[in-house]
Amino acid sequence: MKYAVDERGYYGNFGGAYIPEMLYPAVEELRQQYLNIIYDPSFQEEFNNLLRDYVGRPTPLYLAKRLSEKFGAKIYLKREDLAHTGAHKINNTIGQILLAKRMGKTRIIAETGAGQHGVATATVCALVGLECVVYMGKIDTERQKPNVSRMQLLGATVVPVTSGSQTLKDATNEAIRDWISNPVDTHYIIGSVVGPHPYPDMVARFQAIISEEIKAQLLEKEGTDKPDYVVACVGGGSNAAGAYYHFLDEEEVNLIAVEAAGHGIDTGFSAATSVLGTLGIIHGSKTLLMQTEDGQIVEPHSISAGLDYPGIGPLHAHLIESGRAKVYSVTDDEAMEALVMCSRMEGIIPAIESSHALYALNKMELKPTDVVVLNLSGRGDKDLATIINYLDNIDVPHGK
Ligand SMILES: *Cc1c(COP(=O)(O)O)cnc(C)c1O
């Protein structure tokens, strides 16, 4: 496993656990226990049963005929948009809630930006009956009211955070503060392959179900379990990590990471971390992040809430630095063009995040024999207000 995390929690030069002293016992407890717990046969049985009966797995691997014709290659969509709650995030929150229960935790905390991870966390807390507190920047609670209502309906307490810029990074700081005060009874559910070791590795293992299914489904449909390309969008990197996981050491499978260029890489309004990022520490992990010369985090921009993150998980920093994964940057406008294309050509309204991955098909040089698997990380319902607002402003006729 050339690209697996090492014993110290690093992927090449990236990763580790850069945490305040007072968090050390909680993170260390997790580090010592996570592998034993998640590979216990009874855990695996409970996890897999819930993925099947509650999440609705396996999600289909769908051969998109019209997209295939358009791009001149076989394009398969891995339909994470059909998972319960509308995206891949639930795979990870189910895994972590079962882990938390087995570690004897009675209280769950999470941070959320746009609210998607908060909703996925509130969902699984309701499922097992654990107390749930979600920290969310006050500005985000106002921008994302429907998700605040969803979390409350699911029984979670949403705490609006009024410090700093009142957005995701402040919510994260508040969640960390909570965990420091309640290390014994509380588990902190992180939503992507970010944070201190062992989170990136743990979350990747929970999301690995995506590539496990792709292999079996492709073998049945194509007679081989190896596609030529696996394409996924990258915010923190969890859906991509899951889609890549079982292909990491199969170097004939090309891994394509698609990040958000916002208004354009050089405009000062982007989230193109692999191009603009430099080595630094964010959320307890050493990785690529967008920062000023004196180490202040630069506010990212993307039209998609899920890709609007100033860093990238350490696994992806390593895959990109080593050349194992190739990156494309896709702008807001390009992603919205792909969103409309997929809606009209396949009858599938993708999440704006996933639409970044779809647009990358234009940038790849594909041959008719190529088999491409594109991870459709989520559905676009959550983005409807943003989509309508965007289309109104650029004057594209919605119904022709
Ligand atoms: C949150 C989210 C993402 C980005 O997160 P990753 O950890 O990079 O996968 C992508 N797509 C959807 C639909 C999301 O909700």
Side-chain angles (χ1 to χ4, degrees), residues 87-89 116 192 233-239 306-307 351 353 377-378 382:
H88 66 289
K89 285 194 172 70
Q116 294 305 114
S192 189
C233 63
V234 175
S238 69
N239 87 87
L307 304 186
E353 291 85 357
S377 54
K382 69 182 176 61

Side-chain angles (χ1 to χ4, degrees), residues 22-23 26 105 107 109 135 174-188:
M22 291 175 70
L23 220 52
K105 307 292 175 179
R107 184 172 172 270
I109 57 172
Y135 290 94
E174 218 44 56
I176 289 172
R177 226 166 272 148
D178 181 316
W179 206 21
I180 289 173
S181 316
N182 303 286
V184 177
D185 67 340
T186 298
H187 176 68
Y188 179 15

Side-chain angles (χ1 to χ4, degrees), residues 67 79 235 243 291 378:
L67 291 185
R79 299 289 310 275
Q291 56 187 329

Side-chain angles (χ1 to χ4, degrees), residues 60-237:
L61 184 69
Y62 164 67
L63 176 60
K65 286 225 181 66
R66 297 188 66 203
L67 291 185
S68 298
E69 272 165 33
K70 179 176 163 73
F71 291 104
K74 266 192 172 168
I75 313 287
Y76 283 94
L77 302 179
K78 180 59 173 163
R79 299 289 310 275
E80 293 302 295
D81 60 312
L82 295 177
H84 180 45
T85 67
H88 66 289
K89 285 194 172 70
I90 191 85
N91 304 324
N92 167 50
T93 55
I94 296 250
Q96 287 200 48
I97 200 80
L98 296 182
L99 181 85
K101 259 187 17 187
R102 279 163 202 248
M103 289 175 70
K105 307 292 175 179
T106 54
R107 184 172 172 270
I108 298 297
I109 57 172
E111 88 290 340
T112 198
Q116 294 305 114
H117 172 57
V119 170
T121 302
T123 300
V124 298
C125 287
L127 174 70
V128 303
L130 287 191
E131 182 190 348
C132 180
V133 178
V134 179
Y135 290 94
M136 189 170 187
K138 183 157 182 294
I139 291 181
D140 289 334
T141 62
E142 287 157 8
R143 286 194 289 211
Q144 310 287 342
K145 279 216 176 91
N147 276 341
V148 174
S149 304
R150 282 188 187 100
M151 287 184 266
Q152 288 169 338
L153 187 57
L154 291 160
T157 304
V158 179
V159 180
V161 175
T162 54
S163 56
S165 57
Q166 312 194 6
T167 57
L168 179 62
K169 73 174 174 359
D170 314 290
T172 304
N173 290 339
E174 218 44 56
I176 289 172
R177 226 166 272 148
D178 181 316
W179 206 21
I180 289 173
S181 316
N182 303 286
V184 177
D185 67 340
T186 298
H187 176 68
Y188 179 15
I189 298 192
I190 294 182
S192 189
V193 284
V194 300
H197 178 64
Y199 278 98
D201 183 53
M202 179 172 73
V203 176
R205 287 170 192 268
F206 290 141
Q207 293 291 358
I209 185 69
I210 299 174
S211 48
E212 189 182 318
E213 290 175 5
I214 291 171
K215 273 181 161 293
Q217 291 167 321
L218 205 61
L219 186 61
E220 195 176 289
K221 290 172 197 289
E222 292 287 332
T224 168
D225 66 355
K226 293 186 187 62
D228 296 293
Y229 295 93
V230 178
V231 186
C233 63
V234 175

Side-chain angles (χ1 to χ4, degrees), residues 273-307:
T273 316
S274 80
V275 185
L276 301 172
T278 51
L279 196 61
I281 290 167
I282 183 168
H283 298 163
S285 163
K286 191 199 276 183
T287 189
L288 294 175
L289 64 126
M290 301 192 335
Q291 56 187 329
T292 61
E293 258 165 39
D294 49 1
Q296 296 294 322
I297 288 171
V298 173
E299 278 291 325
H301 168 84
S302 167
I303 192 170
S304 77
L307 304 186

